[in-house]
Amino acid sequence: MTTITSNLQAVRDAIAAAAAEAGRQAGDIHLLAVSKTFAATALREAYRAGQTCFAESYVQEALDKIAALNDIPIEWHYIGPVQSNKTRAIAENFAWVHSVDRLKIAERLSGQRSAQLPPLQICLQVNISMEASKSGVAPDELDALARAVAELPGLKLRGLMAVPAPSDDVIVQRASFAKLREMRDRLNRQGLQLDTLSMGMSHDFAAAIAEGATIVRIGTAIFGDRIYLGETA
Ligand SMILES: *Cc1c(COP(=O)(O)O)cnc(C)c1O
């Protein structure tokens, strides 16, 4: 067995254990393999081990991999910052975008999504830890953004995403994820139908699952440590 194959199995087992602990069905939690900085060969290996959903954070790097892997049916998710000049490439090449945090970006994605394709599946990224440097809509601007995005053609608003400030304390991790869940529940009480909470990474996915994550975004625990080569978008 290769390292990626055995890592994937260990992550799946850990997701199942966290789900059981939380009294949830493991099948309600989707594993998104975060493959940024890793070569197409690594993704192909994960695909052979049964992984079909992959997430990328840098548009040009993603387009290269999408081209290199066009012989296998991968579902591509975009989780990086969305710049205006990259929305067309994103709208044309991805199934999901988890990192929408401004109406202007959502409008561009909506306008540029081909009617031939299924709607682009959208999560709004929320800045739950309110750090100035982090992307994400401010919690007090979320409701207005969600209502507006839900109306846009070519998009399907599915839920919320967050990257909380890192903490080793499970209590702190859970409190952040609980906030995102409460925001999703509040929007649903206002009439939206959001079924997705995209939350939890390699170091905190068990806490995220305990608080209702439906998608966990895991990179390091599957592919190993990343070495950044300087590309930022
Ligand atoms: C890189 C990244 C991840 C994966 O992080 P790991 O700690 O490697 O699991 C998840 N979500 C986002 C938004 C990322 O940028």
Side-chain angles (χ1 to χ4, degrees), residues 9-138:
Q9 194 50 54
V11 167
R12 289 186 191 124
D13 291 346
I15 289 171
E21 177 87 8
R24 302 182 57 201
Q25 301 289 331
D28 293 340
I29 297 140
H30 301 280
L31 172 57
L32 187 51
V34 178
S35 45
K36 64 187 179 208
T37 79
F38 291 96
T41 48
L43 283 74
R44 197 176 283 280
E45 197 176 318
Y47 177 81
R48 278 198 211 102
Q51 181 66 31
T52 55
C53 300
F54 292 84
E56 292 283 333
S57 298
Y58 311 108
V59 174
Q60 189 52 53
E61 180 193 331
L63 296 181
D64 293 344
K65 285 181 223 178
I66 291 170
L69 296 168
N70 70 359
D71 58 315
I72 50 177
I74 287 177
E75 182 176 279
W76 293 101
H77 294 234
Y78 187 76
I79 61 172
V82 186
Q83 295 168 355
S84 291
N85 63 351
K86 300 285 170 64
T87 52
R88 181 172 296 281
I90 293 170
E92 289 174 350
N93 288 284
F94 286 84
W96 283 70
V97 182
H98 293 236
S99 42
V100 171
D101 61 3
R102 287 178 285 154
L103 183 57
K104 181 182 150 211
I105 291 294
E107 287 171 342
R108 290 179 67 91
L109 292 169
S110 167
Q112 292 165 341
R113 183 68 168 181
S114 157
Q116 281 12 354
L117 294 173
L120 188 56
Q121 309 294 301
I122 301 290
C123 291
L124 301 178
Q125 183 172 354
V126 185
N127 188 353
I128 42 175
S129 308
M130 278 313 283
E131 293 161 274
S133 61
K134 276 254 177 67
S135 29
V137 61

Side-chain angles (χ1 to χ4, degrees), residues 32-36 38 55-58 78-81 98-99 125 161-163 198 200-205 216-226 228:
L32 187 51
V34 178
S35 45
K36 64 187 179 208
F38 291 96
E56 292 283 333
S57 298
Y58 311 108
Y78 187 76
I79 61 172
H98 293 236
S99 42
Q125 183 172 354
M161 181 274 235
V163 183
S198 169
M201 305 171 31
S202 293
H203 67 285
D204 58 10
F205 67 86
V216 291
R217 308 179 312 270
I218 299 185
T220 310
I222 298 171
F223 296 108
D225 288 331
R226 285 181 291 275
Y228 284 97

